[in-house]
């Protein structure tokens, strides 16, 4: 599912990266698609959820661009099957290393657990 999310964001021109892939300062908006924790459902150890964080970066001089960029990400991912927003979003904070503002949007994937 990570690849489907990544490909959808790329298809929409939203400049996605894998964790650790982006180098240098933030010159234009981009996002990092990061897998998070996997947990089983309460009723079964065969089904569960995995979190996906979309970490958003916009140049430090473009704070006003943050919300429209996040809105574009939400719109792009809205129709993907088995993916839903959790409602958790972090506030914008400055990232001095990247010279950017950053925030994140959390999603959850309903999935069959392997093993």
């Amino acid at each position: 599912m990570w690849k489907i999310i990544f490909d959808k964001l790329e298809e929409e021109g939203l400049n996605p990266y894998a964790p650790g892939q982006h180098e240098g300062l933030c010159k234009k908006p981009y996002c990092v698609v990061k897998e998070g924790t996997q947990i089983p459902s309460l009723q079964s150890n065969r089904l569960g959820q995995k979190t996906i964080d979309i970490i958003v970066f916009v140049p430090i001089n473009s704070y006003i661009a943050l919300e429209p960029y996040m809105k574009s990400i939400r719109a792009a991912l809205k129709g993907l099957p088995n993916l839903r927003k959790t409602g958790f979003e972090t506030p914008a904070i400055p990232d001095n290393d990247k010279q950017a503002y950053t925030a994140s949007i959390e999603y959850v994937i309903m999935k069959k657990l392997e093993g």
Side-chain angles (χ1 to χ4, degrees), residues 1-18 21 28-33 54 69 72-77 80:
M1 186 69 175
W2 181 92
K3 183 164 176 24
I4 292 169
I5 294 167
F6 187 92
D7 290 346
K8 182 65 175 174
L9 293 170
E10 194 169 53
E11 177 185 303
E12 297 291 326
L14 294 170
N15 204 17
Y17 285 86
Q21 187 181 24
K28 63 180 182 176
Y30 72 93
C31 61
V32 174
V33 182
I54 309 297
Y69 184 58
S72 297
I73 291 169
R74 287 186 216 105
L77 299 180
L80 291 181

Side-chain angles (χ1 to χ4, degrees), residues 15-114:
N15 204 17
Y17 285 86
Q21 187 181 24
H22 186 273
E23 295 180 0
L25 300 178
C26 179
K27 300 291 186 189
K28 63 180 182 176
Y30 72 93
C31 61
V32 174
V33 182
K34 180 181 161 292
E35 289 184 307
T37 307
Q38 176 175 289
I39 56 172
S41 72
L42 294 175
Q43 297 83 10
S44 169
N45 63 353
R46 297 178 190 257
L47 297 174
Q49 303 176 349
K50 181 169 229 167
T51 58
I52 297 283
D53 288 313
I54 309 297
I55 306 164
V56 178
F57 294 84
V58 297
I60 197 80
N61 62 354
S62 300
Y63 180 81
I64 197 164
L66 185 63
E67 184 54 37
Y69 184 58
M70 291 176 73
K71 188 175 183 179
S72 297
I73 291 169
R74 287 186 216 105
L77 299 180
K78 191 172 187 172
L80 291 181
N82 299 325
L83 182 71
R84 69 174 178 83
K85 278 183 56 173
T86 64
F88 292 114
E89 294 186 8
T90 62
I93 58 170
D95 180 331
N96 294 329
D97 291 339
K98 291 289 186 182
Q99 289 294 296
Y101 281 105
T102 185
S104 69
I105 307 168
E106 185 180 71
Y107 285 87
V108 68
I109 302 166
M110 303 303 292
K111 64 179 277 183
K112 181 180 177 182
L113 303 179
E114 290 118 26

